[in-house]
Amino acid sequence: MNPYVLTTLLSSLGLGTTLTFASSHWLLAWMGLEINTLAIIPLMAQHHHPRAVEATTKYFLIQATAAAVILFAGTANAWATGEWNMTDMSDPIATTMILAALSLKVGLAPMHFWMPEVLQGLDLLTGLVLSTWQKLAPFALIIQTSQAFDPLLLTTLGLTSTLVGGWGGLNQTQLRKVLAYSSIAHMGWMVIVLQYAPHLTFLALLMYILMTSAAFLTLKLSYATKIGTLATTWSKAPLLTATTALVFLSLAGLPPLTGFMPKWLILQELAKQGLPFTATIMALAALISLYFYLRLCYSMTLTISPNTAASTTPWRTQTTQVSAPLALFTVMALSLLPITPAITALLI
């Protein structure tokens, strides 16, 4: 892609998200979301592959539908209250429609069906942008308007997403689909605690972005898109294979890795709010997710010939890819747990 075009598209991505962050008016927020969607469409379709074009079309239709519902709900709320302000969401129907549209945008279950299919059709770098940056603007709106939403609805969305995210990833062999279901499960963790401690939602989103970035960049460096391909990476880059297994375990939320921090704090908050049953279901749902992360770790680090999958061993050529961002994200995805008190003090 032409570097000038790429710069324009990336600037528009940044502008759309910043506009939504800065807005307290539904029309301005909607405009930011639209700029965001239109900027990523060419990035998604740049390879002109049928799968990429199909994924782009699906994504465009879903995001356009969600944006239209947000605009309609914002207008309905303004009609009922005379206010376009996000903080004044007193119309229950408009509020529920807003939550449904934003859930569709970020891929919360049961509005998650587009996410694995779209992510599967994209290359890993665009998939990374879709899984991380594109979540920021809708989540900013969800956090801003969280007090207006029905608590029972938020809890249901959180539990459903965590269970569906764990369950859906169990039988996948494509790594992008595994990461899509992982994303759905993490979104559930963020939404479940939203009504009690929004700063923990923000913390969970931040940690999710760090860990997912590390996972996507690792897979990009080793050109792996299927579990079978992972089985041959140890012969080419043994150190990278070891750190990747740890990144997956961090995504699963095992101590003493970074991924344990948001899960630990969220379960603690749920117990503090007198919801031990909800906390127990969330912890058990995390175990389902742990299973498919362990599958990836097993394929990468514990299978050696003749037990590897029937895939060709890669040539040990020097890569030309930049590895500094990968190193940075991997370190952060593995070692931030000891500074949990400092991070929580900064957020509160």
Side-chain angles (χ1 to χ4, degrees), residues 146-157 191-192 195-196:
S146 61
Q147 298 313 311
F149 298 139
D150 179 17
L152 183 63
L153 195 56
L154 282 175
T155 306
T156 310
L157 277 172
V191 165
I192 198 87
Q195 55 205 317
Y196 309 114

Side-chain angles (χ1 to χ4, degrees), residues 45-246:
Q46 64 180 319
H47 295 298
H48 305 296
H49 189 273
R51 284 303 300 269
V53 173
E54 182 193 333
T56 309
T57 310
K58 284 177 182 171
Y59 183 75
F60 174 72
L61 291 172
I62 292 290
Q63 298 297 314
T65 305
V69 173
I70 287 170
L71 191 59
F72 180 71
T75 312
N77 187 65
W79 184 275
T81 62
E83 279 285 335
W84 277 95
N85 205 321
M86 283 180 203
T87 50
D88 190 23
M89 293 292 293
S90 50
D91 186 37
I93 298 172
T95 308
T96 310
M97 284 173 71
I98 290 275
L99 181 57
L102 291 171
S103 302
L104 184 62
K105 268 197 171 291
V106 294
L108 278 167
M111 281 79 82
H112 68 283
F113 294 100
W114 62 271
M115 181 93 184
E117 297 301 322
V118 167
L119 209 58
Q120 180 57 29
L122 304 177
D123 66 302
L124 288 164
L125 212 52
T126 318
L128 169 62
V129 175
L130 186 73
S131 301
T132 54
W133 186 261
Q134 292 298 94
K135 307 277 188 202
L136 291 177
F139 245 99
L141 296 181
I142 291 174
I143 290 171
Q144 270 182 279
T145 51
S146 61
Q147 298 313 311
F149 298 139
D150 179 17
L152 183 63
L153 195 56
L154 282 175
T155 306
T156 310
L157 277 172
L159 286 172
T160 314
S161 298
T162 317
L163 288 163
V164 165
W167 203 255
L170 288 180
N171 63 343
Q172 300 298 333
T173 57
Q174 297 285 342
L175 294 174
R176 282 165 293 187
K177 281 193 176 180
V178 168
L179 287 167
Y181 281 109
S182 157
S183 170
I184 293 162
H186 279 90
M187 294 295 130
W189 279 91
M190 293 169 212
V191 165
I192 198 87
V193 79
L194 182 60
Q195 55 205 317
Y196 309 114
H199 66 278
L200 287 186
T201 298
F202 180 67
L203 173 71
L205 181 60
L206 202 63
M207 294 304 137
Y208 160 76
I209 287 172
L210 290 181
M211 296 181 294
T212 306
S213 301
F216 267 102
L217 290 171
T218 306
L219 298 178
K220 182 176 175 289
L221 197 72
S222 52
Y223 301 102
T225 53
K226 293 193 285 289
I227 290 184
T229 321
L230 279 183
T232 58
T233 51
W234 64 271
S235 62
K236 187 180 178 186
L239 189 61
L240 183 70
T241 305
T243 55
T244 309
L246 289 173

